[in-house]
Amino acid sequence: MAPGRVSKVPPAARRPARGPHRLRPEDRADFEALLHLALSTQDIRSALLADPSGQASGRLRAQALDAADEITAAAGEAYGAYLAVRAAARDTTPRPTPHGTLLPALAVLTPLVAATSAAVLLLLGHVFRLAHVSGPLPGSLVTAGWVLALVAAVSALVALAALVSTGIRRRGGPPSDARLEQARLAWHQALLGQGLLPHLRRCVKEDPFLHAAPPT
């Protein structure tokens, strides 16, 4: 190379290395909508008016779409958080219970049936005792009633523990729609402020047909 000459580096060679989060195809529409918004900001729009050919907007748009991964990487932290929340929200496949619906039904019915049977047996046993019925029948009825009362109490505790466990699992389940939308908006703000606008302003400065206006 002759002395005094300055080699021109192609724009593609000056792009930063791609970040860990490349733009997903399903997020392409969001990227293009934010690109349209960035091209409409006052300083970018004022600079585009300086191009006599009127093709500057198309050039900047094509350059931004071509560098979509690099622009996304500039907001990689917010994009990664949004992808994580979205992946957790999509993981909502219900886990099949090994015994169908039999165990939940038993957990609900057992305390009710046991408590009702215990009350009936205890009532009959005491009625027979007051009636001075001879034989082991009154005592057997009372004993069976207390056994069923114990079964009702234990099964009720088991059902309560199952409900508490289910509530804890649901609390740590997939994120809500509001949290997902909040993560999406945070990525939009980061993509616009850290990726699209700096990229477009840099392209405006490098374009020989444009004159950059002070950013507002």
Side-chain angles (χ1 to χ4, degrees):
M1 183 176 65
R5 292 186 60 185
V6 179
S7 62
K8 294 183 178 181
V9 182
R14 295 197 298 268
R15 292 176 182 168
R18 293 190 175 186
H21 301 295
R22 299 181 60 181
L23 183 66
R24 305 291 178 89
E26 59 267 33
D27 297 323
R28 191 80 178 183
D30 282 9
F31 182 90
E32 293 181 2
L34 290 171
L35 173 59
H36 179 75
L37 180 62
L39 289 171
S40 301
T41 55
Q42 183 176 354
D43 59 316
I44 302 297
R45 188 173 64 251
S46 300
L48 294 177
L49 294 176
D51 182 20
S53 66
Q55 299 178 355
S57 178
R59 288 198 305 271
L60 261 64
R61 180 179 177 84
Q63 291 172 355
L65 292 176
D66 184 59
D69 288 335
E70 288 75 13
I71 296 174
T72 303
E77 183 177 353
Y79 190 43
Y82 170 52
L83 293 179
V85 174
R86 187 170 67 187
R90 288 177 177 176
D91 188 17
T92 58
T93 304
R95 298 178 181 179
T97 55
H99 302 289
T101 58
L102 180 60
L103 286 181
L106 288 177
V108 174
L109 293 178
T110 300
L112 296 176
V113 174
T116 303
S117 301
V120 172
L121 292 177
L122 288 173
L123 180 61
L124 288 176
H126 288 295
V127 168
F128 287 164
R129 282 182 175 179
L130 292 176
H132 302 289
V133 176
S134 61
L137 181 58
S140 299
L141 290 176
V142 173
T143 302
W146 284 116
V147 171
L148 286 176
L150 179 62
V151 171
V154 172
S155 58
L157 290 176
V158 172
L160 179 61
L163 288 175
V164 173
S165 177
T166 302
I168 293 175
R169 285 198 303 268
R170 288 181 179 177
R171 183 177 300 176
S176 62
D177 293 340
R179 181 181 170 192
L180 178 62
E181 187 63 21
Q182 183 180 4
R184 180 169 175 255
L185 291 177
W187 170 55
H188 285 182
Q189 292 176 355
L191 181 63
L192 186 63
Q194 302 173 16
L196 283 168
L197 286 176
H199 173 82
L200 292 177
R201 286 163 181 162
R202 183 170 63 251
C203 290
V204 166
K205 291 180 180 179
E206 295 175 354
D207 196 310
F209 298 98
L210 300 179
H211 301 286
T216 57

